[in-house]
Amino acid sequence: MDTRTVAAFFLLAALWGTAFMLTKAGLAWIPPVLFAAYRFDVAAVVLFGLALWRDERLRPTGPEWRPVLLGGVLLVGVHHAFLFAGQLYVTSAVAAVLLGLIPVLTPALVRLSASAERLSPVGLLGVSLGFAGVATIANPDLANLATADLRGVALVLGSAITFAVGAVGTHDAPTTMPTVSEQAWMMFVGAVTLHATSAALPTESLADPIWTPTAVVSLGYLAVVAGAGGFALYFWLLRRVGPIQVSLLEYVIPIFAAVSGWLALGEGLSRQTVLGFGIIVVGFVLVKRRALRAELRRWRDDRIGPSGTE
């Protein structure tokens, strides 16, 4: 990757890593599912405005509705409902580390859902290690299965699984829709899903939010900077370096989440969380070993060039 791409990669990791800390801060003032709904209300408005400014086609047609609905309901709606609710009980770093399971779960689900393709024994070992890493982070006390930390781990783990299922569901869906318009519709569908979920919860009400400066800043950052801006940067990177290298974001984001949570909220980072994260990384490498080797060979060949010299 060139200097500009590397800078964009770490900028996106910083934007999405610090989003965990700002989510945690905002949750003190806004109920979790309603908070997520407001975030995507604003993000959808911003992206629809950007699509209009760029004169993009706005209306999905035919098969283009499939990725919009699947992505909106699962990748945006259900995923963030679980994630925001889980962050009531766990630190920013633990939430970010648990989402590091997404690069392990996604290729596993793709292989399991394909009739002609199955996980190899090494791949199964990788997936098992990923779950072992989650168990290490959770450190469940069998004598007290209702602990707040365990509830938080279960909710964030559910958000990771939902995201992976949504990614698999939209993976093969053909679309010719412009990226900004498609993302705007996904966020709109996700916001509707979140509002419906919030309305159905007896613990949430539209009268609950307290609009302190912290709440407003948190919502603005999550919607505009980490949301609309972050997704735009993500798709720029995806087109430039491909899905394998972009998926490695999940292993840089926890660093920014941990540091920002420590600096702004005084959250600690235990050795057990670091150990669990390391186990998840090993699982990811085992599952994606062939693709990673291919990427390394391509990177080496690009550096050496046709003349055989760097």
Side-chain angles (χ1 to χ4, degrees):
M1 290 191 286
D2 57 34
T3 303
R4 185 171 63 158
T5 305
V6 170
F9 181 92
F10 282 100
L11 175 59
L12 181 56
L15 294 180
W16 282 359
T18 52
F20 288 92
M21 175 268 295
L22 283 151
T23 300
K24 190 81 171 180
L27 285 170
W29 308 103
I30 310 174
V33 180
L34 190 58
F35 189 12
Y38 285 150
R39 172 190 179 178
F40 290 104
D41 286 338
V42 177
V45 169
V46 170
L47 286 175
F48 274 125
L50 180 59
L52 285 170
W53 180 72
R54 294 175 58 171
D55 199 26
E56 288 189 358
R57 176 170 61 88
L58 288 180
R59 186 176 178 180
T61 59
E64 291 176 343
W65 279 107
R66 180 190 167 191
V68 164
L69 293 174
L70 279 175
V73 172
L74 295 179
L75 298 179
V76 176
V78 180
H79 165 67
H80 284 92
F82 281 141
L83 177 60
F84 277 42
Q87 283 199 255
L88 288 171
Y89 305 108
V90 298
T91 66
S92 305
V94 168
V97 167
L98 288 171
L99 290 186
L101 264 181
I102 290 173
V104 177
L105 290 169
T106 302
L109 289 170
V110 168
R111 285 169 171 79
L112 289 171
S113 65
S115 58
E117 197 171 12
R118 292 291 185 269
L119 277 176
S120 68
V122 176
L124 286 171
L125 175 61
V127 174
S128 300
L129 281 174
F131 281 105
V134 172
T136 301
I137 295 165
N139 189 27
D141 181 358
L142 297 180
N144 185 15
L145 291 177
T147 61
D149 286 351
L150 188 57
R151 289 200 301 270
V153 167
L155 285 165
V156 178
L157 178 58
S159 77
I161 294 171
T162 302
F163 191 94
V165 171
V168 171
T170 58
H171 181 263
D172 295 325
T175 181
T176 56
M177 193 171 185
T179 298
V180 174
S181 297
E182 183 181 52
Q183 290 300 308
W185 275 105
M186 281 187 185
M187 292 187 184
F188 172 77
V189 171
V192 171
T193 303
L194 288 161
H195 276 294
T197 304
S198 177
L201 292 174
T203 56
E204 296 198 5
S205 166
L206 291 174
D208 289 338
I210 301 173
W211 295 106
T212 64
T214 298
V216 173
V217 169
S218 297
L219 179 61
Y221 182 89
L222 291 171
V224 179
V225 181
F231 274 103
L233 194 56
Y234 172 82
F235 282 102
W236 182 85
L237 280 168
L238 185 64
R239 289 190 294 270
R240 193 171 182 87
V241 302
I244 301 302
Q245 293 191 51
V246 170
S247 71
L248 298 178
L249 275 166
E250 299 296 341
Y251 301 105
V252 182
I253 287 172
I255 298 171
F256 290 97
V259 171
S260 61
W262 172 64
L263 289 174
L265 304 177
E267 296 178 342
L269 183 63
S270 69
R271 292 181 180 178
Q272 194 152 331
T273 298
V274 175
L275 175 61
F277 175 59
I279 295 172
I280 291 173
V281 171
V282 173
F284 169 75
V285 171
L286 289 176
V287 171
K288 300 296 290 180
R289 64 196 183 283
R290 293 189 181 93
L292 289 170
R293 279 200 298 264
E295 286 291 320
L296 287 172
R297 282 196 297 268
R298 185 179 65 80
W299 177 78
R300 183 191 59 196
D301 293 343
D302 289 344
R303 282 181 58 85
I304 293 175
S307 64
T309 59
E310 294 191 14

